Amino acid sequence: IRWYWQPYRQYQRKVRSTMAWRQTENQRIKDEEAAKILDERRKKLVGVAKQQKRNFIEAFTQLGFYYRYKTAESRERARAQVQRMEIPDAIIGVDFLVFPLKLPLGVKPSSLLDPDTQDNMRLLTRRPDMQILRTDYDGLFAFVPLRGAKDGIPDLFLWHSQRDDKCALKLLNRTTSKLAIPVGLAANRKFIWFDPFDSDSPHVLVGGTTGAGKSVTMNSWLCTLIGRNTPYELQLALIDLKMVELTPYENIPHLFRPVVKRPEGVSLLLDELWEELERRLNLFAGAGVRSLNEYNEKRPERAEPYLFLFFDEIALVMLDKGLSSKAEPLLARLAALGRAVGIAMMMFTQRPSVDVVSGIIKTNVTNRLAFNTDEQGSKTILGNGMAKGLNPRGRGIWYSRGEYFSLQAPLIYPEQINRAIHFATHHAAPPPPLTTERLLALAIDERGNYEGGRVNFLKLVQTRYPSTSMAMFNALFWQVHYRPAQAGPVHLSPEGKRFIIWGATVMLLPDGAKLPTSEDEIFALQLQKTEEQELNELFNE
């Protein structure tokens, strides 16, 4: 028997050693794997279609379209005359489901095609992209787009490409704005970005239970912002009442103040933010502008950075009556006036209840992101129950400008967070070079914070512009230094007042006063200003 099969086996080994046989065998294996994947997907989509059919029946019943009676008699007498809507099995496509609809007597197609009815159907079925359509030949049907394992959205969306490990900040740059943050991937591969200062309200409220994806979303937003903006373009105010979530960001150069970890420090930080808001409003009023973008374009030498407040777990403050009485009014005022001065608030909570998210905050925070939560929490954030029982982790409902989007939030790993923080800490962009305009702006803003003298003024300049050398400073300083023989140069402050720089001392000239033509007149002017300051201090006391 062995002798009989030996030639066949030799022939079989020769055939299997050929390239054609290997290619055929590899293609057969790929086809089997593809058929297995398609079969698994078909089984999964069949389950999705059955569940969606049950949701349609429940939604049509609540809206009063599923059951109809021929007469106006009571339910007990007309039970035999009941008419019911027919919903056959769904037509399963590659990325969609189609449910044919046969309406009962007395229900007009225009009733289902009404925009308000369709909005109610989307809320009840938790399908923001569902549509009810009508054709001349096929009649009425419900169309549900699908792309992914469950509801048309991928179950996993990575913060950046995992195949490129050389650059930790190779983001999906789908927008030109450096302040835009990635919210998630919606149905039909629609990528949703949110630009805080390109909308009616720059503030966002994020809520969800533990493990739903709230903290991962916060880290992805932070890493995106510090990766695309320098410390001179962006500052962060971080409140971490859990004391562990934002600890890795303690040493980044983008911090407006150190990370707040105690509830007692929240009101102090909010007071400082309110003082910063008032300072910027006074700057804008003097410059004749209405927004931070206009101010930075008009006065680039005095450019102010955008400011983001990340508040993790606001419930620990709002549930404390002593702290909430101070923090809630400040949050409301910052939310109302923050957009004009470049301040945006990102508030996170895992307890989105009415006593945590008050009506004052909801009125000024119109952008909401809800992850998996209970029905009451979903109604508090979104105004409906669309976020109840969301699955898998990271699945959320984004509400902005009156629209709802079901999406998958980006997933970022701890290693990527550490690389982004390392990049922002050690590879931050250098400050802009020192110019004459910046030197004048620094002299006006910092007058009184240093003792006179060119050496002390140089030290102050080097703290703001470390790359400034002695030669560069001297060249710019003598351009702005006042020369009595030439009666100039004379500079103008943002308020329109005249001032001169003498010996690195900034002296504002009285209105209508003559320009000094000698050093004695400068000393007399300086002595006069000193006496006026002492009198003002005594008067204030």
Side-chain angles (χ1 to χ4, degrees):
I1 295 176
R2 292 180 181 177
W3 170 81
Y4 179 79
W5 287 105
Q6 187 174 3
Y8 172 75
R9 290 174 179 172
Q10 293 178 357
Y11 174 75
Q12 188 182 36
R13 285 195 293 269
K14 291 181 180 180
V15 170
R16 292 185 176 180
S17 63
T18 60
M19 183 61 67
W21 189 91
R22 292 178 183 176
Q23 293 178 353
T24 305
E25 186 67 15
N26 292 337
Q27 186 63 36
R28 184 186 64 81
I29 295 174
K30 291 181 180 179
D31 292 343
E32 290 180 355
E33 293 177 353
K36 187 183 298 184
I37 294 174
L38 289 176
D39 186 60
E40 292 178 357
R41 178 175 175 78
R42 184 188 63 80
K43 293 179 180 178
K44 192 174 294 185
L45 289 180
V46 168
V48 172
K50 291 181 179 179
Q51 180 62 40
Q52 189 60 48
K53 184 177 178 179
R54 289 192 291 267
N55 293 341
F56 274 131
I57 294 174
E58 183 179 355
F60 282 126
T61 303
Q62 293 186 23
L63 294 177
F65 295 121
Y66 193 71
Y67 293 103
R68 278 301 173 98
Y69 301 95
K70 290 183 179 181
T71 63
E73 297 179 2
S74 64
R75 188 182 184 92
E76 290 77 10
R77 296 180 180 179
R79 190 178 299 276
Q81 302 178 11
V82 65
Q83 294 289 321
R84 187 174 60 181
M85 180 186 295
E86 295 183 9
I87 305 178
D89 293 336
I91 301 172
I92 300 177
V94 177
D95 56 355
F96 62 87
L97 293 176
V98 175
F99 293 88
L101 303 177
K102 186 177 180 181
L103 303 181
L105 295 176
V107 178
K108 297 180 180 180
S110 59
S111 300
L112 268 69
L113 296 174
D114 183 66
D116 294 336
T117 302
Q118 296 212 26
D119 290 341
N120 292 330
M121 286 292 299
R122 295 187 182 102
L123 294 176
L124 293 173
T125 58
R126 295 199 292 272
R127 292 279 181 175
D129 48 3
M130 187 274 298
Q131 297 181 13
I132 297 179
L133 305 175
R134 182 183 184 183
T135 61
D136 296 335
Y137 299 100
D138 299 327
L140 202 68
F141 60 90
F143 177 78
V144 181
L146 293 178
R147 188 179 294 272
K150 184 179 179 183
D151 54 358
I153 305 169
D155 292 344
L156 182 65
F157 171 52
L158 300 180
W159 179 65
H160 73 89
S161 177
Q162 293 294 307
R163 293 173 293 182
D164 189 0
D165 294 330
K166 297 180 181 179
C167 181
L169 297 174
K170 186 178 180 182
L171 301 174
L172 299 172
N173 291 317
R174 305 287 182 88
T175 179
T176 57
S177 176
K178 299 173 68 175
L179 297 172
I181 52 180
V183 181
L185 196 63
N188 298 326
R189 313 300 295 181
K190 182 178 181 180
F191 195 81
I192 297 180
W193 287 86
F194 173 64
D195 190 350
F197 299 100
D198 190 27
S199 61
D200 299 333
S201 174
H203 317 296
V204 183
L205 175 64
V206 183
T209 58
T210 303
K214 176 175 54 66
S215 299
V216 176
T217 300
M218 179 174 59
N219 282 289
S220 67
W221 290 4
L222 282 170
C223 291
T224 301
L225 289 173
I226 65 177
R228 305 181 74 185
N229 299 273
T230 64
Y232 310 98
E233 300 171 334
L234 170 74
Q235 288 186 342
L236 297 174
L238 305 180
I239 300 176
D240 181 19
L241 299 183
K242 296 180 180 177
M243 303 181 64
V244 294
E245 195 64 46
L246 299 179
T247 302
Y249 300 93
E250 288 181 334
N251 298 322
I252 61 175
H254 298 75
L255 291 182
F256 173 73
R257 293 290 184 271
V259 180
V260 176
K261 297 183 179 181
R262 296 290 183 181
E264 297 79 11
V266 174
S267 59
L268 298 177
L269 178 61
L270 294 180
D271 286 334
E272 293 183 357
L273 288 176
W274 180 250
E275 294 177 359
E276 177 70 12
L277 185 144
E278 291 182 334
R279 183 187 70 84
R280 294 190 179 191
L281 287 177
N282 294 330
L283 284 179
F284 296 172
V289 298
R290 295 184 298 177
S291 65
L292 181 60
N293 190 22
E294 295 178 5
Y295 179 81
N296 290 341
E297 290 179 358
K298 188 174 183 178
R299 299 211 173 134
E301 73 278 358
R302 295 169 175 268
E304 296 284 342
Y306 286 89
L307 186 56
F308 279 73
L309 169 63
F310 279 79
F311 198 152
D312 188 19
E313 200 45 69
I314 62 175
L316 297 180
V317 172
M318 293 302 175
L319 296 179
D320 191 330
K321 294 182 179 180
L323 296 175
S324 62
S325 60
K326 300 178 181 179
E328 187 174 357
L330 290 173
L331 287 174
R333 284 186 285 176
L334 287 172
L337 302 176
R339 181 180 182 275
V341 298
I343 298 179
M345 295 192 301
M346 309 291 160
M347 294 179 287
F348 298 79
T349 179
Q350 62 182 5
R351 184 178 175 179
S353 56
V354 179
D355 52 351
V356 173
V357 183
S358 62
I360 300 177
I361 295 178
K362 289 181 62 177
T363 303
N364 295 286
V365 182
T366 58
N367 305 297
R368 294 40 169 318
L369 178 60
F371 292 101
N372 179 27
T373 182
D374 56 5
E375 186 172 358
Q376 185 62 36
S378 179
K379 289 182 178 180
T380 303
I381 299 177
L382 302 176
N384 53 64
M386 294 177 64
K388 178 184 177 181
L390 287 177
N391 195 34
R393 299 174 67 178
R395 187 61 50 89
I397 303 293
W398 170 254
Y399 173 75
S400 179
R401 297 180 179 179
E403 293 185 285
Y404 294 92
F405 292 95
S406 180
L407 52 84
Q408 183 71 23
L411 173 64
I412 184 170
Y413 294 102
E415 295 80 8
Q416 298 170 343
I417 298 174
N418 295 333
R419 287 201 295 266
I421 293 174
H422 183 271
F423 179 87
T425 305
H426 300 282
H427 302 282
L434 182 66
T435 60
T436 305
E437 293 78 10
R438 293 193 176 101
L439 182 64
L440 291 174
L442 185 62
I444 296 174
D445 296 339
E446 300 295 335
R447 66 178 184 272
N449 294 338
Y450 63 94
E451 298 180 358
R454 200 152 48 89
V455 177
N456 293 332
F457 189 44
L458 173 61
K459 294 179 180 178
L460 178 65
V461 170
Q462 288 179 340
T463 57
R464 183 72 66 88
Y465 304 96
S467 61
T468 303
S469 62
M470 175 73 76
M472 182 188 303
F473 172 76
N474 288 333
L476 296 176
F477 178 77
W478 291 117
Q479 292 179 16
V480 300
H481 192 267
Y482 185 77
R483 291 179 285 275
Q486 302 176 4
V490 179
H491 312 289
L492 292 177
S493 67
E495 295 80 12
K497 296 182 179 181
R498 300 179 304 166
F499 71 95
I500 62 175
I501 295 180
W502 171 258
T505 301
V506 179
M507 291 182 288
L508 294 176
L509 299 176
D511 296 337
K514 295 182 180 180
L515 297 176
T517 57
S518 64
E519 294 186 2
D520 294 337
E521 294 181 2
I522 293 178
F523 289 144
L525 179 64
Q526 188 174 7
L527 181 61
Q528 178 183 356
K529 299 298 292 184
T530 305
E531 292 177 353
E532 290 180 359
Q533 292 175 0
E534 292 178 355
L535 291 175
N536 290 332
E537 290 178 359
L538 290 174
F539 178 77
N540 293 331
E541 291 178 357

